[in-house]
Amino acid sequence: PPYPLTGHDLLESSVPRERTYVVSTECTRQASIALRTESEKLILPIVEDADGRAVPDFYGRPRSPDPLLFDVGSDPAESANLAESKPERVQELRGFLEGWRADMLGPDGPDPLLTQPLTLPYEQFMRRVLNRHSRRR
């Protein structure tokens, strides 16, 4: 790429052991933050922005604040939400994720996930999808 990349070669033996989790966000079609462990994935929808305004779903509808929990080992397609049947595990993973976010943000300012939770409005996203599709023909 035309810019420098930073990181560590994961094949080097001097690199510390990798983390046991991955944190990811989705802000294009839905606003959410997720914690992925070796066996589970917790997804927390972002339903309000930094000013308390509702963040709609991809189609402009109100979003459910309910967390999603998946056993990615037995359900790699993430089709069976286990959040209702495992509330203690949801709370444990949520606490870890919220602690991680607090550590990452520190005292430096607002959470970028809450100041701009959706990067593309539905109409703009659909224009991109349709343009991409028409170029393939």
Side-chain angles (χ1 to χ4, degrees), residues 4-55:
L5 296 175
T6 61
H8 299 281
D9 182 340
L10 296 177
L11 299 177
E12 289 181 19
S13 61
S14 63
V15 174
R17 189 178 186 291
E18 62 189 68
R19 289 188 176 135
T20 58
Y21 63 91
V22 172
V23 175
S24 61
T25 61
E26 167 65 61
C27 295
T28 302
R29 293 179 42 218
Q30 61 181 348
S32 61
I33 186 166
L35 174 67
R36 170 73 156 76
T37 68
E38 187 174 325
S39 60
E40 298 165 305
K41 184 175 181 182
L42 175 71
I43 302 171
L44 300 177
I46 297 171
V47 296
E48 287 186 343
D49 68 12
D51 296 322
R53 291 182 301 246
V55 174

Side-chain angles (χ1 to χ4, degrees), residues 42-45 47 63-69 81 83-84 90 94:
L42 175 71
I43 302 171
L44 300 177
V47 296
R63 301 189 71 213
S64 170
D66 298 336
L68 304 168
L69 177 67
N81 181 8
E84 236 179 76
V90 168
R94 180 191 296 261

Side-chain angles (χ1 to χ4, degrees), residues 67-81:
L68 304 168
L69 177 67
F70 300 102
D71 180 334
V72 292
S74 64
D75 180 21
E78 300 175 10
S79 58
N81 181 8

